[in-house]
Amino acid sequence: MKIAKLEEREIFKDSTIYYLREKDSTNQFIIQQKEGQINQYVKANTQLENDLNTKNKQFKWYKRGTIAFGATLILLLLSL
C-alpha cells in the first residue's frame, strides 16, 4: 500500500517536473521572440529618426532656396 502511494507520488512529481520544464521552455521561446521584436522596433525607430532628420534638413534647404529665389526675383524686378 505504502509502496503504491510512493510510486504514485513519484509519478506525479515526475509529471509535474516535465510539465514545468516544458512551460519553462515555452516561456524562454516567448522571451526570445519578444527580444527579437524589441530589437526590430529599435532598428526601425532609429531608421525612422534618421529619415526624419534627413527630410527636415532637405526641407530647410528647400525653404532657404525658395526664400533666396524670391528675394532675388524681387530685387531683379525692383532694379528694372
Side-chain angles (χ1 to χ4, degrees):
M1 186 74 172
K2 285 185 177 183
I3 293 174
K5 284 192 176 191
L6 285 174
E7 287 177 359
E8 185 180 312
R9 199 165 149 193
E10 283 296 317
I11 292 171
F12 178 74
K13 281 184 190 178
D14 290 342
S15 64
T16 303
I17 289 170
Y18 176 78
Y19 168 74
L20 291 174
R21 285 185 178 156
E22 285 295 315
K23 188 174 178 182
D24 183 55
S25 174
T26 302
N27 288 339
Q28 290 298 326
F29 177 76
I30 291 170
I31 288 169
Q32 289 173 352
Q33 294 298 314
K34 290 294 180 184
E35 287 174 352
Q37 289 175 348
I38 290 169
N39 289 336
Q40 288 177 346
Y41 168 78
V42 168
K43 286 179 185 177
N45 192 34
T46 302
Q47 184 63 39
L48 287 172
E49 285 176 351
N50 290 340
D51 291 345
L52 182 62
N53 287 337
T54 301
K55 291 296 178 186
N56 283 341
K57 288 176 185 176
Q58 289 174 349
F59 180 72
K60 284 179 185 176
W61 282 109
Y62 172 76
K63 192 172 161 183
R64 289 176 185 161
T66 303
I67 292 171
F69 176 74
T72 305
L73 184 62
I74 290 172
L75 290 175
L76 284 174
L77 290 174
L78 289 176
S79 68
L80 293 176

